[in-house]
Amino acid sequence: MAKIPKPRFNLKKPQSKSETLIYLIFRYRGQKLRYSTQLTIRPNEWDFEAQRPLERERRPDLWAIRRQLDEYAGFAKTIYIEHDYGAISMEDFKVQLDERSGRAEPKEGRGSVSFLEFLDLEIAEMRTTGMKGDTVRMFKMHTDTLKVFARERGDFDYNDVTWSLRLKLIDWLAARKVKVAYGNKTISTLVQFVERARRKGHHNHIGHQGQGWKVKQLKAEGPKATLSVGELTLLSEMRVGSFLGKVRDLLLIGAGTGQRFSDFSKLRPEQFYRTMSGVPLLSLISQKTAMPVKVPLNIFPWVIPTLERYEYTSPKLSMQKFNEGLKVLSEQAGLNQQVLVVEQYMGRKARLEKHYVPKYSLISSHICRRSFATNMYRMGYSLAQIMPITGHATEAQLRIYIGVDAEENAERIAMGIRHRQEKQFLNA
């Protein structure tokens, strides 16, 4: 009994120094099928003996290509078996491969909406189904980015969303000096919306599936900007005008309660009370996570006096005005020490840029929450004590979040060693 033919994969240009197409080769009943998988790879990342991408750590993109090639191999064998072990023309074989891989034209009655049109329809549906405004705006921002990409690099549809398009999008984002965090959200929006369209019956393409689409971020990062207790005390004692006074007071409330701007900017008197033992607390339900939070108000000396000035409400400021005022306030306070900034930009591999900027330029609404957690940690409170207030799910998340950098961590260890050595000397 004859064996089932084995699908093979060859590179179009095996000597190329750049990306080259991968072809499926399938020989059956005297015929030779040569079929483009539309996947590309660099020859130096290809195992010519195994006819698959090399197995490399931290390269989910190569694993994604390997998985898709395995699917193509499975499709070829299935088509061969289902058609009486090869009683199928080469052209029909290709049609079958197109259908099973999602590259065939959509069936009649479906797919009348192009992908770029689907983006607008999906955003409109998000607005009408009660999705949070911030979430809709985030999706709108990234779908708009995809539209600009299409205008500049050529329109694309569902079936075009393959690994090759991913690389073109990454190169385009890199040319625009887009940071990795933003670029990855654009890529994930692309993949997510193609999948939404597939589930709604607009196409049956699957080239977007699999892992490794995002650009892997590097571990290198600069110190996290925070305001120390001393800096916050300095700000609390400054004499400023009406607008900057509101900015300063809202900053003190945020840095004294550890909540998100959406919560600390909308405080109401009924959210405050004293326990049976007289401890003043803020009690609220987080707008983002719907988690109940209780915050002691006597951790930092400026919190209660600031709240009393506003009768336990928040100064009314938009986030935009708050952020603009924070930079002016911080510059006036002399927070101009140079801070290392490490930024990661898009590319097929993330690209680092390092430079120094004055601290006041880094200060925004988010520094309130980060400063609260960092200052509590520096004051000796454990991560387990801080987590219920900030709402972090794990200690690992909180440890990454707080602004305790490598130098401070090393200093803590060194001071602990010195303390033990001094204690041993005194006991000798």
Side-chain angles (χ1 to χ4, degrees):
M1 185 177 293
K3 293 182 179 180
I4 295 174
K6 181 179 179 180
R8 304 180 66 83
F9 295 96
N10 293 342
L11 302 187
K12 181 179 181 181
K13 297 180 179 179
Q15 305 301 322
S16 175
K17 301 298 182 183
S18 59
E19 301 274 342
T20 185
L21 280 169
I22 304 172
Y23 277 90
L24 164 66
I25 308 298
F26 193 69
R27 297 177 183 272
Y28 68 99
R29 292 196 176 184
Q31 301 189 76
K32 178 184 176 182
L33 173 73
R34 188 170 184 265
Y35 182 85
S36 172
T37 65
Q38 296 188 348
L39 299 170
T40 61
I41 194 171
R42 294 176 183 273
N44 62 1
E45 296 173 337
W46 180 257
D47 185 332
F48 285 88
E49 182 176 351
Q51 298 179 8
R52 293 293 191 278
L54 293 170
E55 296 185 9
R56 289 182 173 174
E57 290 186 1
R58 308 183 190 281
R59 290 296 305 275
D61 55 324
L62 298 181
W63 284 104
I65 295 174
R66 173 182 286 267
R67 183 191 65 77
Q68 291 179 71
L69 294 181
D70 289 342
E71 287 185 350
Y72 274 114
F75 293 150
K77 288 183 178 180
T78 301
I79 294 167
Y80 175 81
I81 293 169
E82 289 180 352
H83 290 80
D84 195 21
Y85 297 92
I88 180 174
S89 70
M90 192 180 303
E91 290 305 314
D92 287 343
F93 206 120
K94 289 180 179 180
V95 170
Q96 287 283 313
L97 280 172
D98 284 343
E99 290 180 358
R100 296 179 192 234
S101 64
R103 285 162 54 178
E105 290 296 321
K107 295 179 181 178
E108 186 178 354
R110 298 166 58 190
S112 57
V113 177
S114 71
F115 177 62
L116 297 180
E117 291 171 332
F118 178 78
L119 296 179
D120 290 332
L121 292 173
E122 198 68 5
I123 293 295
E125 182 178 317
M126 288 176 174
R127 289 194 175 111
T128 59
T129 53
M131 183 177 285
K132 289 183 178 179
D134 289 344
T135 304
V136 176
R137 282 189 288 274
M138 183 273 293
F139 278 124
K140 179 69 164 58
M141 180 171 59
H142 291 287
T143 56
D144 285 348
T145 299
L146 291 172
K147 290 178 186 177
V148 176
F149 167 67
R151 284 199 302 269
E152 294 186 2
R153 294 296 176 91
D155 285 352
F156 61 92
D157 216 335
Y158 309 107
N159 293 354
D160 300 313
V161 182
T162 63
W163 201 254
S164 296
L165 184 77
R166 169 192 178 268
L167 295 176
K168 291 178 183 177
L169 177 57
I170 288 172
D171 292 343
W172 180 79
L173 292 168
R176 295 168 68 93
K177 292 202 68 175
V178 170
K179 292 182 180 178
V180 169
Y182 184 96
N184 276 341
K185 287 180 181 177
T186 299
I187 292 172
S188 64
T189 298
L190 169 67
V191 172
Q192 185 174 343
F193 275 63
V194 173
E195 179 61 18
R196 283 170 178 257
R198 187 187 70 82
R199 292 179 180 180
K200 291 184 176 182
H202 292 289
H203 68 97
N204 56 9
H205 177 59
I206 60 170
H208 61 286
Q209 295 179 353
Q211 298 181 352
W213 277 69
K214 294 181 181 180
V215 173
K216 184 175 178 60
Q217 286 192 287
L218 304 174
K219 292 184 178 180
E221 60 178 11
K224 297 177 176 67
T226 62
L227 293 171
S228 67
V229 173
E231 289 170 328
L232 289 164
T233 302
L234 170 66
L235 290 166
S236 71
E237 296 171 351
M238 283 180 62
R239 291 187 176 184
V240 292
S242 175
F243 170 66
L244 288 183
K246 285 185 176 181
V247 171
R248 184 268 313 279
D249 292 344
L250 191 55
L251 166 65
L252 295 176
I253 292 171
T257 59
Q259 303 309 299
R260 297 177 179 86
F261 180 84
S262 57
D263 292 315
F264 74 74
S265 64
K266 300 174 183 177
L267 298 178
R268 305 182 305 276
E270 59 267 26
Q271 294 175 308
F272 299 90
Y273 72 99
R274 288 182 179 271
T275 66
M276 294 293 291
S277 57
V279 175
L281 294 181
L282 164 64
S283 177
L284 57 80
I285 296 177
S286 169
Q287 181 174 315
K288 181 176 181 179
T289 63
M291 294 291 292
V293 174
K294 295 188 184 298
V295 186
L297 300 175
N298 58 353
I299 301 172
F300 305 104
W302 61 78
V303 178
I304 292 177
T306 304
L307 288 167
E308 287 176 342
R309 282 201 292 275
Y310 296 88
E311 298 181 340
Y312 286 87
T313 61
S314 305
K316 301 306 177 188
L317 287 170
S318 67
M319 182 181 286
Q320 180 181 349
K321 290 294 184 184
F322 183 49
N323 286 331
E324 290 172 357
L326 280 175
K327 290 177 173 53
V328 176
L329 177 70
S330 304
E331 186 174 13
Q332 289 186 9
L335 303 182
N336 53 13
Q337 59 266 44
Q338 295 295 298
V339 178
L340 173 66
V341 173
V342 179
E343 295 176 318
Q344 299 192 32
Y345 289 91
M346 289 296 287
R348 297 190 181 189
K349 291 184 179 179
R351 178 175 56 82
L352 289 181
E353 283 191 11
K354 296 177 280 186
H355 57 277
Y356 287 86
V357 299
K359 184 173 183 176
Y360 66 78
S361 67
L362 299 176
I363 296 178
S364 65
S365 61
H366 196 62
I367 205 170
C368 302
R369 182 168 156 81
R370 191 186 296 279
S371 297
F372 174 87
T374 303
N375 288 329
M376 285 199 68
Y377 184 74
R378 287 172 174 162
M379 290 162 66
Y381 293 98
S382 69
L383 297 177
Q385 290 173 304
I386 303 170
M387 280 172 55
I389 300 176
T390 60
H392 286 88
T394 66
E395 290 191 6
Q397 288 179 353
L398 181 56
R399 191 179 296 278
I400 294 171
Y401 184 82
I402 61 178
V404 179
D405 60 21
E407 180 179 329
E408 184 171 347
N409 183 60
E411 186 177 34
R412 284 186 178 215
I413 295 172
M415 293 299 291
I417 293 171
R418 180 186 295 179
H419 177 73
R420 287 197 296 272
Q421 290 173 339
E422 289 174 349
K423 189 174 182 180
Q424 290 172 356
F425 177 78
L426 291 173
N427 293 335

